[in-house]
Structures are given as C-alpha cells and as structure tokens.
Amino acid sequence: MSSAVDSPRSAPAALPRTLGNTSIVGLQWGDEGKGKIVDLLTEHFDFAIRWNGGSNAGHTVKVGDKKYAFHLIPSGILRPECTSVIANGVVIDPLKLLEEIDNLINQGVKIEDNLRISAHAHIVLPYHKLQDQLSETAASGAGGGGKIGTTGRGIGPCYADKANRTTAVRLIDLLDDGRLKDKLQRIVAQKNMIFAALYNAPPLDWQPMFEQYRACGEQLRPFVTDTTRLLHHAWKAGKRLLFEGANAVLLDLDHGTFPFVTSSNCGTGLSVGTGLPGPAVQSTLGIVKAYSTRVGGGPFPTEQDNPTGNQIRERGHEYGTTTGRPRRCGWIDCVALRYTAAISGATGLCIMLLDVLSGFNELKICTHYEIHGTKTDWFPADALELEHVTPIYETLPGWHDPLDNVTAFDQLPAHAKNYLARLECHIGVPIKIVSIGAARHQTLIR
Ligand code: IMP
C-alpha cells in the first residue's frame, strides 16, 4: 500500500498529452507509490481500469484534509467524469468492495454509473480467506516449510478456483439465486472435506453464506456489466484509458520470484485482465522506489538487514498499511529493474521517494549479480537460484541537502542528479517523473 497527498488538485499537463493510453506498473515488489502517479494522471484520462489482483493491493489518496483508502476501486473514482472499471482479471471480495463503496460515498464521493464492474470477475469467498490463513499458519508451524507470507486475503485460493473452473464463482453467479445456491452447496461441501482432512477445521455452513453473498450481488447489480465490451467501445471511440496495475512485476505469478509471488500476472496480464489487445496501450510507466523494499518471504539480494536498512525504513515509513508489517529494505537493484522493465515493456520510469535517500554519505546501486562465480546482468526469476546470488554494487556519493524546496529537476543536488543518471543508464529506460514527497507539488516532470 502506498499513499499520495494532493494539494492542490491540478495536474502537471505536459506529460500525459504525449503518453496516449497508459499502463501503470510497479517494477519491484509492490508499494512503489503507484497511487500517487495514478492520482496525478487520472485527470487526463476518461477511464481508470483495474485489471488484476484483489484486496491484497491498495493505496491511500489525500485530497486536502480528506484521506481516501482504495483496495479494489481505481482512484479515478474521485473524479466524477472519469469512469472507473474493475475488469475481469480482478478477484473481488464483495464485502470489502461494498465497504469501500460505502466509505467513499460517506466521504461525499459520487459512485453511480461512473463505476463499472465485470460480470466475469471471480469472487473471493470466506473459504478462500480461511484456506489462505490456514495454509500459511500450517506452513509456519513446527517443521512447516513453504510459508509465502501472504496478505491472508484469499487471493491465491480464489485464483486457484478460477483455474480449476468447477469450483469457481464469478460475479454473474451472485446475480442468479438458483445458480449461486447450487454452486455454494456443492463447493462448500468439498471445501469442508479438505479443511477437515488437512487442518482439522470445523465445517462452514453454505446457507448463511448464500444469503450474505446473494445480498451482496443485489447491492452490486447496478454496477455490473460486460467491461470487455465497454472498454472496446471506449478504445474505438478514442477515449483515453489509464490502466492501474496492482501488486508488481517481481510478484508476477509467471515472471516474479516464484513461489514468493502473488497469484495473478501483475506485469504481463493486462490483455488477459481486460480483454483489450496489446496495441490498446501506447505507454507503460514503470514505478520504482529509489531503493528496494519487500514484504513477506522470499529472496531479496540487496536487502540491508542492518542500520542502513533501518534508516531507510524509518525515513520512508516503510510499514505495510494493509498488514502493518515492517517492510524489508535495501539498495536499489538494477538487475531486477532491467528485467522487470523488459518484461512489462516500460517506456518510461517514475522514480519515487528520492527524498528518503537524503542524508546518506554514500549510496549503492546493484548493477550485476555474481552466481556461482560468474558475473551476470540477467535476473534469475526463481527463488532458489536468486538465494545464491551476490550483488555487485556501484558506489556513489550521497547528498545531505533535504529536497523539500526543490521544484524542478534542475534544482536537485548534483549528486542526486548523478544517482538518477546512473539508474537510467543501468536500467536503459528514460526517467519521466521523480517524486520527492507525498504532495502533488513534490513531483518533478522531465
Ligand atoms: P497474496 O497476494 O496475499 O497471496 O501474497 C503473496 C505475496 O505477495 C506476499 O509476499 C505479499 O506480501 C505480496 N503482496 C501481495 N500484494 C502486495 C502489494 O500490493 N504490495 C506488496 N506486496 C504484496
């Protein structure tokens, strides 16, 4: 989760005109600050579209003294003239979604026909959350291996049922009592057998679940549509589309640090998650923290489990907003970033939280790895192999001046400019935006 502060609500105009339809993707392990960039850009777009993940993701946006929390709804909803779409690739926890809708309405946000939700999105049910939590707890017990450190939001089990098909429930099913009843009766019976056998867990009752989720369906019915059709019409009509990727490329199910990943394609699944082909997107902005963080388990070559990491954590307030977990912190990793920029087709970079690095005497950039005595510039996206790499660093001078009063790229301290130039050189993608604080005016556009 990340947060963005907006004051005042006027966007820098120069950049978005050149972007075309734009995809926003995190290039590390999540929490890069995508929310701030999405909030900054939505003003220039007609549609804001979520296409993957579920309530494991999220960010807060501050407008003046109001603070809005987002997990499933694109933050474009804050602008009534922008249509926010939750597309088919998202897994929806209807209880969380309705809570989010209620909170936003109570804060005065208009949520009517400016929110459209795919009838084909899959539904997170109580047994998914239970399975997520039970399997993580069992894995962390005596002799247990394989703990992933999930958010416990039922994301993996829901996507597993999607792939399994016969145990899947989609939003369209919540709108048909007969179909939902049949499905839940059958699926809950199966889940109960599994939970009893594996975890000795008491059985769940399908009936109250049916009542609760059919009621959710009724509440969501006005928003439900064929979003694939909607998006194709919008694209053909020349509407401006902003795609909000959740999680991040290193958490991508196929291309991330498997098995310590989430269960959706975070860097590569836009077409799958929306039904739009690749040419519908002209620009991909890769969002990157000026350092690295990770929550949950898994290898993290540039991790600094030492005073440097602590300093980054405290300066960057690196504690998860969803789970409160302290984030693991370390130096920026250009081997990983070259890979994730390539995988996602990033055409520009947004470097976030540069201000957090003020005050270090020197900074390190990981440029290569050494694996079994061999130097490599390619990222091995496999947790077992990644555990054995040794990072090779380039050391650069730091800067001590705070960046509070910087209003243009040219005003950055020389060593900060040099740091960015080295990142650009090692990653091979131009830096378009540099963020030096949570507020909108603390954004430097190049
Ligand atoms: P899950 O997505 O809850 O299954 O969790 C799988 C892994 O992805 C865990 O290490 C989580 O901490 C991580 N994860 C999932 N979503 C996010 C996110 O939005 N930011 C950071 N980490 C995430």
Side-chain angles (χ1 to χ4, degrees):
M1 294 249 314
S2 55
S3 86
V5 181
D6 169 13
S7 60
R9 287 190 70 72
S10 61
L15 184 63
R17 257 188 248 122
T18 62
L19 289 175
N21 294 342
T22 300
S23 165
I24 304 290
V25 181
L27 294 190
Q28 293 155 311
W29 279 288
D31 311 306
E32 292 92 352
K34 296 183 286 290
K36 171 170 175 173
I37 299 301
V38 169
D39 178 54
L40 193 76
L41 295 182
T42 44
E43 192 153 331
H44 299 271
F45 290 87
D46 303 303
F47 283 75
I49 304 138
R50 253 301 286 280
W51 51 269
N52 77 304
S55 54
N56 53 351
H59 57 264
T60 46
V61 173
K62 282 187 191 163
V63 182
D65 56 357
K66 282 191 174 173
K67 196 171 165 185
Y68 304 93
F70 295 97
H71 291 283
L72 285 158
I73 302 177
S75 53
I77 201 79
L78 295 179
R79 290 182 35 252
E81 62 280 14
C82 177
T83 302
S84 289
V85 177
I86 300 176
N88 60 282
V90 177
V91 290
I92 297 177
D93 179 339
L95 304 177
K96 288 271 172 219
L97 176 57
L98 286 166
E99 187 183 307
E100 196 169 322
I101 291 173
D102 279 351
N103 288 341
L104 289 167
I105 289 175
N106 289 339
Q107 289 179 287
V109 177
K110 175 195 158 200
I111 303 193
E112 292 163 11
D113 57 0
N114 55 333
L115 175 63
R116 315 305 294 147
I117 308 172
S118 171
H120 296 159
H122 284 250
I123 297 297
V124 176
L125 284 142
Y127 47 78
H128 293 131
K129 290 183 263 192
L130 184 64
Q131 187 178 343
D132 199 356
Q133 287 151 18
L134 287 172
S135 90
E136 284 282 296
T137 312
S140 62
K147 184 176 160 72
I148 288 171
T150 71
T151 59
R153 300 290 164 95
I155 307 299
C158 182
Y159 277 115
D161 275 340
K162 175 176 176 171
N164 194 39
R165 294 151 297 163
T166 54
T167 46
V169 176
R170 301 193 295 174
L171 182 50
I172 197 169
D173 299 320
L174 301 195
L175 307 181
D176 179 328
D177 282 2
R179 196 176 343 167
L180 183 64
K181 190 182 266 182
D182 286 351
K183 283 200 167 210
L184 286 184
Q185 240 173 325
R186 177 174 53 79
I187 298 168
V188 172
Q190 276 187 30
K191 300 285 179 192
N192 281 342
M193 286 192 267
I194 295 168
F195 293 160
L198 288 183
Y199 310 113
N200 201 20
L204 298 171
D205 188 349
W206 70 269
Q207 207 142 12
M209 203 184 297
F210 164 68
E211 293 301 338
Q212 187 176 27
Y213 283 80
R214 69 173 288 281
C216 290
E218 281 316 307
Q219 285 179 270
L220 291 174
R221 188 184 287 277
F223 306 111
V224 179
T225 194
D226 178 348
T227 56
T228 308
R229 183 177 182 190
L230 175 77
L231 291 175
H232 271 268
H233 282 172
W235 178 35
K236 294 290 176 231
K239 299 288 182 197
R240 296 158 303 172
L241 313 179
L242 182 68
F243 300 91
E244 192 178 322
N247 321 121
V249 183
L250 291 175
L251 294 172
D252 185 286
L253 179 60
D254 280 81
H255 301 287
T257 52
F258 194 88
F260 299 98
V261 293
T262 189
S263 300
S264 68
N265 287 112
C266 318
T268 53
L270 191 149
S271 290
V272 176
T274 60
L276 286 170
V281 182
Q282 281 83 50
S283 302
T284 297
L285 285 181
I287 316 301
V288 177
K289 265 182 199 172
Y291 46 92
S292 304
T293 63
R294 164 159 221 183
V295 285
F300 179 0
T302 61
E303 181 170 15
Q304 299 298 301
D305 191 9
N306 56 31
T308 298
N310 296 343
Q311 193 176 343
I312 294 174
R313 185 178 307 106
E314 293 317 312
R315 285 190 54 84
H317 313 292
E318 293 292 356
Y319 294 86
T321 323
T322 310
T323 57
R325 290 180 285 183
R327 295 182 184 137
R328 300 158 65 192
C329 297
W331 297 121
I332 197 159
D333 183 344
C334 289
V335 185
L337 287 168
R338 270 195 301 271
Y339 170 77
T340 54
I343 291 289
S344 61
T347 52
L349 301 178
C350 305
I351 304 294
M352 313 301 289
L353 293 138
L354 186 67
D355 52 304
V356 172
L357 294 185
S358 296
F360 285 90
N361 289 331
E362 54 183 36
L363 299 168
K364 289 183 191 289
I365 294 179
C366 172
T367 61
H368 295 80
Y369 293 155
E370 194 183 294
I371 307 179
H372 309 305
T374 307
K375 186 176 172 182
T376 179
D377 59 4
W378 183 254
F379 184 75
D382 175 275
L384 285 179
E385 212 177 334
L386 201 55
E387 259 158 20
H388 298 292
V389 308
T390 306
I392 299 174
Y393 290 108
E394 177 174 306
T395 303
L396 299 173
W399 61 91
H400 287 272
D401 336 337
L403 307 182
D404 299 347
N405 298 320
V406 172
T407 56
F409 191 84
D410 285 348
Q411 296 169 8
L412 285 168
H415 287 160
K417 275 194 260 190
N418 181 45
Y419 183 74
L420 295 171
R422 296 308 294 153
L423 292 185
E424 208 167 43
C425 171
H426 286 302
I427 301 167
V429 178
I431 295 173
K432 304 274 190 191
I433 294 178
V434 176
S435 176
I436 53 168
R440 177 171 280 201
H441 69 269
Q442 293 172 303
T443 312
L444 315 176
I445 312 272
R446 280 175 103 189

